Each structure stands twice: as C-alpha cells, then as structure tokens.
Amino acid sequence: MTIEAFADTIVPGERRWPDDRAVSGAAAGGGAVAAGALELLEHPASGYAAVLEPLAAALNAHANRYAEERGHRLDPEVPPFVALAHEDRTRLLQELLAVGHPEKEMWVGLALFSNMAFDSAAHTNTHGALAAGHPGLLTIGYHRPDADGLWRFPEYSYGRPLASLHPHTTSTGSPA
C-alpha cells in the first residue's frame, strides 16, 4: 500500500474504489497504480522486488517524522505515508528527491519505475497493454495497431518522413 501511494504521488490517478487510501484521487483517469507500477516493481527483472519492504519501511519512517514535525495526527489504520494527504505526500517526496538528500538515488529510482509503468508499460507487451486499455499509453496518444496487427502511422511525428525506405526493404520492414 505504501509503494502504491508513492507511485500515485509520482503519477496521480483516480481512486479504484471509493475508500481507496493508497490512490488519493488527485487526478482523473488512471495513474501509475492503474498502469501497473506495483506489478513492474515486483517483477524480478526490475531489481526492486527484494527491497520493496525495506523501502516502504523507510518511506513510512520519513512520513512519521514529517507528520510529527508538522503536528499532523496520522490514521493508525493505514501505513504512515498512506495516511498523509496527497499534498503532504508531494511535499515529503520533494524533500526526498531534492538535490543533496542522502537517499535521493533510491527514491529517484522508485520514481523512475513509477513513470516507466505509466509511460511505457514496461512490465507487459504493448499489444496486451493496449488491449487492456493501459491508461498511460492511451494518455500519451499511443496508437493501436491496425486490424491486421501491424502499426501504421498516417502522420509522421515530425510532419515528414525522416528517410526513404531502402529499395531492398522487404514487405515486413526488414533490410534485404
């Protein structure tokens, strides 16, 4: 729940259900959590799977300190970081991600993976992500493939093709 709250602070989204505490509901549509941030972080290839519990404990310790310094009473029913209001989560992460903070690198890495889940669906294949309505890919305007499963883009991102196809390029796009 703490790691979900962290990811939601990085890329906010709407609550999954009315009493969702990890996702604060600070933005419309799906955010990092709906995009699969926890799934990506728990994947063995991420390098984070074995350290998520210690990271959550460290984040909760920072949340306790932050709340104590400001006189905030935290709900004991949820982890301390989850108990913070979205604005306070954001302020705390600004501290942890600031230049010169001694733990900055580990929090930046966690933030990057939260963004990666949203921006690229790195934990799943693109076809599957789009078929499931991945919120990040759809938000950034990722086009679905044509009916035959191939991606074609009628408009070039720079307004013109970058290069002509080589005359020996095969129908599948491979060089001859």
Side-chain angles (χ1 to χ4, degrees), residues 18-154:
D19 295 330
D20 191 354
R21 296 288 301 271
V23 176
S24 66
V33 174
L38 192 59
E39 183 182 349
L40 174 59
L41 288 162
E42 289 176 335
H43 194 283
S46 75
Y48 278 93
V51 297
L52 289 177
E53 285 188 37
L55 283 172
L59 187 55
N60 284 319
H62 284 294
N64 274 327
R65 173 201 44 86
Y66 176 93
E68 186 176 302
E69 289 173 354
R70 287 157 183 79
H72 295 327
R73 292 188 59 115
L74 298 178
D75 180 353
E77 299 294 318
V78 294
F81 187 77
V82 176
L84 291 173
H86 181 78
E87 296 77 19
D88 289 313
R89 292 178 187 180
T90 301
R91 285 186 200 103
L92 176 55
L93 291 190
Q94 286 173 334
E95 288 178 20
L96 299 177
L97 295 164
V99 173
H101 191 280
E103 299 172 3
K104 177 187 172 198
E105 286 79 12
M106 73 181 181
W107 302 119
V108 166
L110 203 59
L112 287 171
F113 271 80
S114 299
N115 275 307
M116 194 183 315
F118 186 80
D119 293 346
S120 67
H123 56 293
T124 188
N125 70 64
T126 306
H127 281 280
L130 288 170
H134 187 276
L137 295 181
L138 296 177
T139 296
I140 64 175
Y142 210 94
H143 294 277
R144 295 178 191 263
D146 291 342
D148 61 3
L150 297 177
W151 270 276
R152 294 180 185 85
F153 301 93

